[in-house]
Amino acid sequence: EAEICAGELFVGGLQRRRYSNEQLRNAFAKYGEVKDCRIIMDMTRSPPVSRGYGFVSFADPRDNLKAVQGLDGKRLSGRILRVT
């Protein structure tokens, strides 16, 4: 049986230019109540762009496992996600 990972999930493989925190939240919301999500931005660019990764946490840590199983290796907006 897979272990439940507590804490934040790392989400890699996000589009660098056209992806928002809201889109990330919506992608993960079907696996549980998203407590927090954020895409890491490159603030040295004008306008700032995504660095291609972010973090998601759920209100119930048991939902982390469901999200990893449901999204790791899957396509989102044409890119393959890495969720760990």
Side-chain angles (χ1 to χ4, degrees):
E1 181 174 310
E3 289 184 33
I4 295 171
C5 42
E8 292 183 316
L9 293 177
F10 170 84
V11 183
L14 299 174
Q15 286 188 356
R16 290 196 172 271
R17 297 200 183 268
R18 290 176 261 153
Y19 215 75
S20 70
N21 286 327
E22 182 180 347
Q23 289 171 304
L24 185 61
R25 179 179 296 276
N26 289 341
F28 279 79
K30 64 179 157 184
Y31 299 100
E33 180 187 345
V34 176
K35 181 170 76 173
D36 185 45
C37 73
R38 65 191 184 286
I39 296 173
I40 305 306
M41 303 298 286
D42 181 350
M43 302 307 282
T44 64
R45 297 287 209 40
S46 181
V49 296
S50 164
R51 289 186 175 258
Y53 67 94
F55 298 91
V56 173
S57 61
F58 287 95
D60 183 344
R62 293 174 292 190
D63 294 332
N64 287 359
L65 181 59
K66 291 188 276 186
V68 169
Q69 291 172 336
L71 290 173
D72 187 44
K74 301 297 189 295
R75 286 194 179 275
L76 188 63
S77 296
R79 305 267 316 222
I80 295 176
L81 291 183
R82 188 173 80 224
V83 182
T84 56

